[in-house]
mmCIF file of all heavy atoms in Angstrom:
data_model
loop_
_atom_site.group_PDB
_atom_site.id
_atom_site.type_symbol
_atom_site.label_atom_id
_atom_site.label_comp_id
_atom_site.label_asym_id
_atom_site.label_seq_id
_atom_site.Cartn_x
_atom_site.Cartn_y
_atom_site.Cartn_z
ATOM 1 N N ARG A 258 -17.480 -37.249 5.945
ATOM 2 C CA ARG A 258 -16.463 -37.290 6.989
ATOM 3 C C ARG A 258 -17.129 -36.971 8.326
ATOM 4 O O ARG A 258 -18.010 -36.111 8.404
ATOM 5 C CB ARG A 258 -15.363 -36.269 6.719
ATOM 6 C CG ARG A 258 -14.594 -36.519 5.430
ATOM 7 C CD ARG A 258 -13.571 -37.608 5.618
ATOM 8 N NE ARG A 258 -12.809 -37.871 4.394
ATOM 9 C CZ ARG A 258 -11.812 -38.738 4.324
ATOM 10 N NH1 ARG A 258 -11.460 -39.419 5.406
ATOM 11 N NH2 ARG A 258 -11.174 -38.944 3.190
ATOM 12 N N ILE A 259 -16.691 -37.647 9.351
ATOM 13 C CA ILE A 259 -17.306 -37.499 10.667
ATOM 14 C C ILE A 259 -16.792 -36.224 11.332
ATOM 15 O O ILE A 259 -15.584 -36.005 11.425
ATOM 16 C CB ILE A 259 -17.004 -38.727 11.538
ATOM 17 C CG1 ILE A 259 -17.716 -39.958 10.959
ATOM 18 C CG2 ILE A 259 -17.442 -38.496 12.984
ATOM 19 C CD1 ILE A 259 -17.409 -41.230 11.685
ATOM 20 N N GLU A 260 -17.726 -35.377 11.746
ATOM 21 C CA GLU A 260 -17.371 -34.183 12.506
ATOM 22 C C GLU A 260 -17.467 -34.442 14.003
ATOM 23 O O GLU A 260 -16.715 -33.841 14.778
ATOM 24 C CB GLU A 260 -18.294 -33.029 12.121
ATOM 25 C CG GLU A 260 -18.119 -32.586 10.664
ATOM 26 C CD GLU A 260 -19.018 -31.431 10.302
ATOM 27 O OE1 GLU A 260 -19.962 -31.146 11.083
ATOM 28 O OE2 GLU A 260 -18.818 -30.805 9.255
ATOM 29 N N PHE A 261 -18.391 -35.291 14.404
ATOM 30 C CA PHE A 261 -18.522 -35.652 15.821
ATOM 31 C C PHE A 261 -19.182 -37.022 15.908
ATOM 32 O O PHE A 261 -20.064 -37.350 15.125
ATOM 33 C CB PHE A 261 -19.369 -34.626 16.578
ATOM 34 C CG PHE A 261 -19.705 -35.074 17.975
ATOM 35 C CD1 PHE A 261 -18.780 -34.940 19.000
ATOM 36 C CD2 PHE A 261 -20.931 -35.661 18.260
ATOM 37 C CE1 PHE A 261 -19.082 -35.367 20.283
ATOM 38 C CE2 PHE A 261 -21.242 -36.082 19.537
ATOM 39 C CZ PHE A 261 -20.310 -35.942 20.551
ATOM 40 N N ALA A 262 -18.737 -37.819 16.857
ATOM 41 C CA ALA A 262 -19.345 -39.133 17.131
ATOM 42 C C ALA A 262 -19.106 -39.446 18.602
ATOM 43 O O ALA A 262 -17.975 -39.341 19.086
ATOM 44 C CB ALA A 262 -18.735 -40.213 16.237
ATOM 45 N N ASN A 263 -20.166 -39.803 19.294
ATOM 46 C CA ASN A 263 -19.979 -40.160 20.704
ATOM 47 C C ASN A 263 -19.517 -41.612 20.827
ATOM 48 O O ASN A 263 -19.454 -42.370 19.852
ATOM 49 C CB ASN A 263 -21.263 -39.914 21.499
ATOM 50 C CG ASN A 263 -22.425 -40.752 20.988
ATOM 51 O OD1 ASN A 263 -22.300 -41.488 20.023
ATOM 52 N ND2 ASN A 263 -23.569 -40.645 21.658
ATOM 53 N N THR A 264 -19.205 -42.006 22.046
ATOM 54 C CA THR A 264 -18.665 -43.345 22.284
ATOM 55 C C THR A 264 -19.677 -44.421 21.918
ATOM 56 O O THR A 264 -19.312 -45.479 21.386
ATOM 57 C CB THR A 264 -18.258 -43.481 23.761
ATOM 58 O OG1 THR A 264 -17.337 -42.427 24.083
ATOM 59 C CG2 THR A 264 -17.602 -44.817 24.028
ATOM 60 N N ALA A 265 -20.947 -44.150 22.194
ATOM 61 C CA ALA A 265 -21.980 -45.140 21.868
ATOM 62 C C ALA A 265 -22.044 -45.401 20.372
ATOM 63 O O ALA A 265 -22.261 -46.538 19.940
ATOM 64 C CB ALA A 265 -23.338 -44.660 22.383
ATOM 65 N N ALA A 266 -21.837 -44.363 19.551
ATOM 66 C CA ALA A 266 -21.871 -44.544 18.097
ATOM 67 C C ALA A 266 -20.756 -45.478 17.645
ATOM 68 O O ALA A 266 -20.967 -46.371 16.808
ATOM 69 C CB ALA A 266 -21.757 -43.200 17.393
ATOM 70 N N ALA A 267 -19.548 -45.280 18.175
ATOM 71 C CA ALA A 267 -18.445 -46.165 17.805
ATOM 72 C C ALA A 267 -18.738 -47.599 18.221
ATOM 73 O O ALA A 267 -18.456 -48.547 17.474
ATOM 74 C CB ALA A 267 -17.148 -45.674 18.454
ATOM 75 N N SER A 268 -19.320 -47.786 19.386
ATOM 76 C CA SER A 268 -19.629 -49.137 19.849
ATOM 77 C C SER A 268 -20.695 -49.799 18.987
ATOM 78 O O SER A 268 -20.564 -50.960 18.597
ATOM 79 C CB SER A 268 -20.077 -49.083 21.313
ATOM 80 O OG SER A 268 -20.466 -50.365 21.758
ATOM 81 N N LEU A 269 -21.758 -49.051 18.667
ATOM 82 C CA LEU A 269 -22.849 -49.628 17.878
ATOM 83 C C LEU A 269 -22.411 -49.924 16.450
ATOM 84 O O LEU A 269 -22.973 -50.819 15.800
ATOM 85 C CB LEU A 269 -24.045 -48.675 17.871
ATOM 86 C CG LEU A 269 -24.723 -48.456 19.234
ATOM 87 C CD1 LEU A 269 -25.833 -47.421 19.113
ATOM 88 C CD2 LEU A 269 -25.279 -49.771 19.765
ATOM 89 N N LEU A 270 -21.424 -49.176 15.934
ATOM 90 C CA LEU A 270 -20.925 -49.404 14.577
ATOM 91 C C LEU A 270 -19.730 -50.355 14.557
ATOM 92 O O LEU A 270 -19.071 -50.487 13.524
ATOM 93 C CB LEU A 270 -20.532 -48.073 13.930
ATOM 94 C CG LEU A 270 -21.684 -47.107 13.643
ATOM 95 C CD1 LEU A 270 -21.161 -45.791 13.111
ATOM 96 C CD2 LEU A 270 -22.673 -47.726 12.651
ATOM 97 N N ASP A 271 -19.453 -51.002 15.702
ATOM 98 C CA ASP A 271 -18.367 -51.977 15.794
ATOM 99 C C ASP A 271 -17.015 -51.361 15.437
ATOM 100 O O ASP A 271 -16.194 -51.976 14.749
ATOM 101 C CB ASP A 271 -18.640 -53.197 14.893
ATOM 102 C CG ASP A 271 -19.884 -53.956 15.322
ATOM 103 O OD1 ASP A 271 -20.169 -53.983 16.526
ATOM 104 O OD2 ASP A 271 -20.581 -54.503 14.443
ATOM 105 N N GLN A 272 -16.798 -50.123 15.897
ATOM 106 C CA GLN A 272 -15.550 -49.419 15.635
ATOM 107 C C GLN A 272 -14.848 -49.140 16.963
ATOM 108 O O GLN A 272 -15.499 -48.861 17.978
ATOM 109 C CB GLN A 272 -15.797 -48.098 14.906
ATOM 110 C CG GLN A 272 -16.541 -48.237 13.594
ATOM 111 C CD GLN A 272 -15.734 -48.943 12.523
ATOM 112 O OE1 GLN A 272 -14.536 -48.687 12.377
ATOM 113 N NE2 GLN A 272 -16.358 -49.840 11.779
ATOM 114 N N ALA A 273 -13.518 -49.214 16.948
ATOM 115 C CA ALA A 273 -12.765 -48.902 18.160
ATOM 116 C C ALA A 273 -12.946 -47.435 18.529
ATOM 117 O O ALA A 273 -13.132 -47.087 19.701
ATOM 118 C CB ALA A 273 -11.285 -49.226 17.961
ATOM 119 N N GLU A 274 -12.923 -46.549 17.538
ATOM 120 C CA GLU A 274 -13.156 -45.127 17.744
ATOM 121 C C GLU A 274 -13.524 -44.495 16.419
ATOM 122 O O GLU A 274 -13.263 -45.058 15.337
ATOM 123 C CB GLU A 274 -11.922 -44.437 18.337
ATOM 124 C CG GLU A 274 -10.694 -44.531 17.464
ATOM 125 C CD GLU A 274 -9.489 -43.829 18.059
ATOM 126 O OE1 GLU A 274 -9.611 -43.262 19.172
ATOM 127 O OE2 GLU A 274 -8.436 -43.836 17.415
ATOM 128 N N LEU A 275 -14.141 -43.332 16.490
ATOM 129 C CA LEU A 275 -14.534 -42.591 15.294
ATOM 130 C C LEU A 275 -14.034 -41.150 15.451
ATOM 131 O O LEU A 275 -14.797 -40.250 15.805
ATOM 132 C CB LEU A 275 -16.056 -42.621 15.120
ATOM 133 C CG LEU A 275 -16.678 -43.972 14.749
ATOM 134 C CD1 LEU A 275 -18.190 -43.889 14.790
ATOM 135 C CD2 LEU A 275 -16.208 -44.426 13.371
#
Side-chain angles (χ1 to χ4, degrees):
R258 297 281 180 177
I259 293 176
E260 295 181 346
F261 171 80
N263 61 358
T264 304
S268 176
L269 294 176
L270 293 175
D271 297 328
Q272 303 292 318
E274 60 179 0
L275 291 173

